[in-house]
Amino acid sequence: MSMTAVPAASFPATLLALWRGADFIQKTAIIIGLALVILAVMAPIIAPFDPNSQSLIARLRPPLGFERAKGGYVLGTDELGRDVLSRSLHGLRLTLMLAALGATLGLMLGGVLGLIAGIAGGRTEAVIMAAVDTQIAVPFTLVALFLLAIFGSSLQVIVLVLGLAGWEQYARIVRGEVRRLMKMPFIEAARAAGAGPLRIARYHLLPNIVSPLVVQFTLSLSNIVLLESTLSFLGLGVQPPTATLGAMVGIGRDYMPTAPWIVAAPALMILLITFAVQILGDWLRDGADVRLRAR
């Protein structure tokens, strides 16, 4: 019998049960993650100012409550008089969008190649795994710098570069899980019943590898946030005046001794994103694992 015969309606109930059984840290991460997503989605509405609007008269003003603070600028202003709160909200929106697109692209690329390698075997598997080993052997930051130097820093190129980050991890995980599952009795039974490779992959393999993919996706998501922040910090990410969290930290580092508030808000958001994603990965893994849901 296949291990995938679980009613679809059980998944929301499982998530509710997981929420009830979650500890304090997990619930905190869930709340933080939802709050960050809501802030990112609502950024154009709740941001008090245009994120790129400059006012040199109001430059380097501290947050409200400090001396020289300017009314309306809750988190102060940056070196060009732009509102730090508005730029942080829009930067959060763009950073999360780039991370989600990059992680999804890496999941699709690595997942498909890993699935092909695990099912096909032989020379096809050898070629794919050779590409995986090559990707692992070369530091990806150097690859990203090389690609951005050649093709520029447009949003499309950045998404592609971020999508290439970590695809080899998906490929290795999927290939290993597929090789293991192909030896299971329910796969042999499906083959004996006349199921082809596509049907086996869709109905028997994919549902049983969701759990490790969810964990890897969350790890990849936080790593891509940090990679995008690193590239923006180096000036090779999204170009000014468009705000991302990493770009704000990179520009604000020169003003740390006199205006630390420029860096504080985006750096805190990066920290909260990585914290929430890491904790949520374990929580979602339990909800996505068909073996746990079948018990």
Side-chain angles (χ1 to χ4, degrees):
M1 177 184 296
S2 171
M3 294 188 297
T4 64
V6 180
S10 67
F11 186 60
T14 301
L15 291 182
L16 180 60
L18 287 171
W19 165 259
R20 292 173 176 171
D23 57 29
F24 175 76
I25 294 179
Q26 291 173 333
K27 290 182 177 180
T28 301
I30 294 169
I31 294 172
I32 290 174
L34 289 175
L36 290 173
V37 171
I38 292 173
L39 288 175
V41 172
M42 301 293 292
I45 299 175
I46 63 178
F49 298 96
D50 183 336
N52 298 323
S53 177
Q54 301 180 13
S55 176
L56 296 180
I57 298 177
R59 68 188 298 269
L60 297 178
R61 294 295 184 94
L64 292 182
F66 291 86
E67 187 180 355
R68 295 185 59 252
K70 185 175 178 60
Y73 295 95
V74 178
L75 297 182
T77 60
D78 63 8
E79 74 284 356
L80 295 177
R82 298 171 296 192
D83 181 43
V84 172
L85 175 59
S86 298
R87 288 184 64 77
S88 296
L89 291 174
H90 282 267
L92 172 66
R93 178 186 178 90
L94 185 54
T95 295
L96 287 180
M97 183 192 72
L98 291 175
L101 290 176
T104 301
L105 182 59
L107 170 62
M108 295 175 61
L109 177 61
V112 170
L113 290 177
L115 192 62
I116 293 174
I119 294 177
R123 185 171 299 178
T124 301
E125 180 183 16
V127 171
I128 293 175
M129 297 314 296
V132 169
D133 294 337
T134 301
Q135 174 84 351
I136 294 174
V138 180
F140 187 76
T141 302
L142 298 179
V143 177
L145 295 176
F146 177 75
L147 293 176
L148 291 172
I150 293 179
F151 299 106
S153 299
S154 66
L155 284 177
Q156 294 85 350
V157 174
I158 292 175
V159 169
L160 177 61
V161 169
L162 296 177
L164 293 176
W167 71 268
E168 75 283 359
Q169 299 298 331
Y170 290 110
R172 293 185 68 182
I173 291 172
V174 172
R175 179 252 186 183
E177 287 294 304
V178 169
R179 291 290 300 272
R180 178 182 67 82
L181 291 170
M182 291 296 285
K183 301 176 182 177
M184 300 294 287
F186 69 92
I187 296 293
E188 296 178 0
R191 281 176 168 174
L198 291 179
R199 183 176 180 83
I200 290 175
R202 179 178 179 182
Y203 292 102
H204 301 285
L205 295 178
L206 290 179
N208 285 289
I209 60 176
V210 168
S211 178
L213 286 181
V214 167
V215 176
Q216 182 57 36
F217 184 85
T218 55
L219 292 174
S220 177
L221 192 67
S222 58
N223 289 336
I224 288 177
V225 169
L226 296 177
L227 176 61
E228 186 280 324
S229 300
T230 300
L231 294 175
S232 297
F233 183 87
L234 296 174
L236 295 173
V238 178
Q239 296 303 299
T242 304
T244 65
L245 299 180
M248 293 180 66
V249 173
I251 295 173
R253 71 184 187 277
D254 295 331
Y255 300 89
M256 280 289 292
T258 57
W261 59 85
I262 299 178
V263 175
L268 177 61
M269 285 185 175
I270 293 174
L271 178 63
L272 291 177
I273 291 171
T274 54
F275 165 76
V277 168
Q278 294 290 339
I279 301 299
L280 285 174
D282 291 338
W283 185 75
L284 289 175
R285 176 197 60 195
D286 296 336
D289 195 333
V290 297
R291 292 166 296 185
L292 295 178
R293 289 154 53 193
R295 291 176 182 175

